[in-house]
Amino acid sequence: MRFGIHTLDEVSVKGKVILCRVDINQPVDRATDSLKSTHRIEACVPTVEELLEGGGRVVLLAHQGSDIEYKNYYTTRPHALVLSRLLGREVKWIEDVCGPLARQAIRELKDGEALLLDNVRFCAEEQTLFEKNLKLTHAQQAQTQVVSKLAPLADLYVCDAFAAAHRDQPSLCGFEQLLPSCMGRLFEKEYCVISQLMQSPQRPCVFVLGGAKVADAFLMMETVLKGGAADQVLTGGLVGNILLAAKGEDIGQASLDFIRKEGYQEFIQSSQALLERYGDKIQLPTDLVYVQGCAMDIGPNTAAAYQRAIRAAKTVFVNGPMGVFEKPETEAGTRMVWDALADTQAFTVVGGGDSVTATKKYGKTQDIGYLCTGGGALIRFLTGEELPVVRALRHAAQVFPLGGDRP
């Protein structure tokens, strides 16, 4: 047991039906019915492989697409093909989640076989709008269709979806109420790495925060500065623009209009207090790159200064790019920061979908200390919040004892 949660070291899986929740949500090319990235799928392979090699009958549950906009949902069919290639064995797929076809396919599994069910978010109870509006307790989640239909067929639940651990949804938190449960290898690894980063980072510890997920970035910034985890915070992207506006710097009317249009005006006010308290530790862009009057990237002087800070650090955590790195005219800032990440002697942690995508785009994957699959979960974890999935797994460890502690 680690962190009060059972691990795979405590269970024998041979002949058992294992419900394994993974996060393999990836960008999809609908025109070719294929995935644009396979990073998260690759990351969960060790857990799935271990369960199959142990003779388990593995049922994989996963989501695909935004949990707010239904139009972004997509089938998990292409994921099964990628998993089959990576594992070197067939991963069956069925166009069902918890209906009669899915349940029959589970009953027919043999030892060492895997089945991927379709997108769990095709079920209303797995959508974030359902989660936020109904606020079901974990005990109530155990009564939902997905959990109540599948749990009776299984012997064990394994959660390897650290990237979704901040979600309070049935396929993530409901099965632990009914089944012996443990975390998979990816979940365990990410929990360990991020815990170490927060508890005792080597100094100086630099956080690079950018991108467009403003609420998450400011939540993280407040936490790591207040708790003393960060010695310095380098800002870029929309996060940097908002801080500049809060300080009274001119970022252009088009940039201000965009901030207001996206509903981020409130962060300008709240950022003023943040700058007053921690202004000596927050580094803002000194120059910007504009496209049609809107600030879209940090400028070369800022990027060079950020490079120096990263190369002088002992620990660097990154969440969010410095600009619109998908376009050649606004990618220089992100590219320069990633160049520094690749050649610094610091231990580097890169988290979040866009950050991982940038890492792959610039060919820096092998140069980063740790690539975390999580974005939102990682941010919530760094705030010190007990994630819903962690709470559910700890509950299962108390109700369904399996083994002993280990360091």
Side-chain angles (χ1 to χ4, degrees), residues 219-376:
L219 178 63
M220 180 188 294
M221 197 182 312
E222 173 84 28
T223 301
V224 299
L225 287 170
K226 182 178 180 179
D231 296 304
Q232 190 175 21
V233 176
L234 313 180
T235 63
L238 189 54
V239 175
N241 290 352
I242 289 174
L243 285 165
L244 286 170
K247 194 178 179 182
E249 300 287 345
D250 182 13
I251 60 173
Q253 190 60 47
S255 299
L256 288 172
D257 290 343
F258 180 81
I259 290 171
R260 293 191 182 97
K261 185 185 73 172
E262 295 298 314
Y264 296 136
Q265 179 70 24
E266 63 179 287
F267 289 100
I268 294 180
Q269 281 81 41
S270 61
S271 295
Q272 292 170 348
L274 195 65
L275 288 168
E276 288 177 6
R277 290 196 299 271
Y278 307 109
D280 59 327
K281 292 187 175 183
I282 302 174
Q283 193 161 340
L284 306 180
T286 57
D287 57 337
L288 298 166
V289 173
Y290 291 84
V291 176
Q292 295 181 338
C294 192
M296 304 290 279
D297 191 16
I298 58 173
N301 295 333
T302 302
Y306 286 6
Q307 284 187 322
R308 291 191 292 272
I310 290 169
R311 287 170 177 146
K314 292 295 181 63
T315 305
V316 182
F317 173 84
V318 183
N319 188 271
M322 297 293 96
V324 185
F325 70 95
E326 297 88 348
K327 297 182 178 181
E329 63 270 27
T330 53
E331 70 165 342
T334 300
R335 188 180 66 247
M336 288 180 67
V337 165
W338 259 250
D339 285 343
L341 291 172
D343 61 29
T344 183
Q345 296 301 305
F347 178 69
T348 51
V349 178
V350 172
D354 287 341
S355 299
V356 171
T357 300
T359 302
K360 295 207 167 198
K361 177 178 180 179
Y362 300 124
K364 308 299 185 184
T365 302
Q366 301 304 316
D367 302 311
I368 301 300
Y370 189 71
L371 276 179
C372 185
T373 62

Side-chain angles (χ1 to χ4, degrees), residues 136-143 168 173-174 177 388-389 391-392 395:
L136 298 182
T137 66
H138 290 176
Q140 290 171 328
Q141 289 180 29
Q143 301 172 29
D168 205 342
C173 302
Q177 316 309 309
V389 175
R391 186 167 69 253
H395 167 81

Side-chain angles (χ1 to χ4, degrees), residues 84 86 92 96 120 134 147 170 173-174 192 209 272 284 322 356 361 382:
S84 297
L86 293 173
K92 301 177 182 180
D96 191 11
V120 294
L134 293 188
V147 179
C173 302
C192 288
L209 302 180
Q272 292 170 348
L284 306 180
M322 297 293 96
V356 171
K361 177 178 180 179
L382 291 175

Side-chain angles (χ1 to χ4, degrees), residues 43-348:
C44 78
V45 163
T47 294
V48 179
E49 194 166 47
E50 181 174 342
L51 295 174
L52 293 172
E53 291 294 329
R57 305 176 182 188
V58 181
V59 182
L60 298 168
L61 298 96
H63 70 275
Q64 174 58 50
S66 167
D67 49 10
I68 296 295
E69 298 184 56
Y70 183 81
K71 65 182 181 182
N72 288 332
Y73 292 168
Y74 200 73
T75 178
T76 59
R77 180 177 57 247
H79 306 66
L81 297 176
V82 173
L83 273 167
S84 297
R85 174 174 56 80
L86 293 173
L87 289 165
R89 66 174 80 195
E90 180 190 9
V91 173
K92 301 177 182 180
W93 177 83
I94 190 163
E95 193 176 6
D96 191 11
V97 178
C98 60
L101 293 178
R103 300 200 300 275
Q104 184 59 33
I106 292 170
R107 294 188 186 97
E108 293 174 354
L109 281 176
K110 297 180 174 57
D111 294 359
E113 291 186 343
L115 168 69
L116 174 62
L117 303 177
D118 211 347
N119 188 350
V120 294
R121 285 184 179 161
F122 286 156
C123 300
E125 62 203 44
E126 287 291 320
Q127 297 172 19
T128 298
L129 292 176
F130 188 100
E131 171 191 344
K132 291 182 176 179
N133 290 333
L134 293 188
K135 302 184 187 307
L136 298 182
T137 66
H138 290 176
Q140 290 171 328
Q141 289 180 29
Q143 301 172 29
T144 59
Q145 288 293 300
V146 171
V147 179
S148 65
K149 295 291 187 183
L150 298 183
L153 304 177
D155 303 294
L156 177 70
Y157 173 75
V158 174
C159 187
D160 210 28
F162 181 83
H166 59 306
R167 298 299 183 195
D168 205 342
Q169 297 166 349
S171 71
L172 291 159
C173 302
F175 289 108
E176 293 94 331
Q177 316 309 309
L178 304 175
L179 293 169
S181 304
C182 60
M183 56 183 169
R185 296 305 185 191
L186 175 61
F187 196 114
E188 182 179 356
K189 183 178 181 180
E190 301 210 312
Y191 202 130
C192 288
V193 169
I194 305 308
S195 295
Q196 178 66 25
L197 173 67
M198 287 299 290
Q199 291 170 6
S200 55
Q202 292 190 359
R203 307 285 182 174
C205 180
V206 174
F207 278 67
V208 182
L209 302 180
K213 294 186 177 179
V214 174
D216 286 345
F218 280 105
L219 178 63
M220 180 188 294
M221 197 182 312
E222 173 84 28
T223 301
V224 299
L225 287 170
K226 182 178 180 179
D231 296 304
Q232 190 175 21
V233 176
L234 313 180
T235 63
L238 189 54
V239 175
N241 290 352
I242 289 174
L243 285 165
L244 286 170
K247 194 178 179 182
E249 300 287 345
D250 182 13
I251 60 173
Q253 190 60 47
S255 299
L256 288 172
D257 290 343
F258 180 81
I259 290 171
R260 293 191 182 97
K261 185 185 73 172
E262 295 298 314
Y264 296 136
Q265 179 70 24
E266 63 179 287
F267 289 100
I268 294 180
Q269 281 81 41
S270 61
S271 295
Q272 292 170 348
L274 195 65
L275 288 168
E276 288 177 6
R277 290 196 299 271
Y278 307 109
D280 59 327
K281 292 187 175 183
I282 302 174
Q283 193 161 340
L284 306 180
T286 57
D287 57 337
L288 298 166
V289 173
Y290 291 84
V291 176
Q292 295 181 338
C294 192
M296 304 290 279
D297 191 16
I298 58 173
N301 295 333
T302 302
Y306 286 6
Q307 284 187 322
R308 291 191 292 272
I310 290 169
R311 287 170 177 146
K314 292 295 181 63
T315 305
V316 182
F317 173 84
V318 183
N319 188 271
M322 297 293 96
V324 185
F325 70 95
E326 297 88 348
K327 297 182 178 181
E329 63 270 27
T330 53
E331 70 165 342
T334 300
R335 188 180 66 247
M336 288 180 67
V337 165
W338 259 250
D339 285 343
L341 291 172
D343 61 29
T344 183
Q345 296 301 305
F347 178 69
T348 51

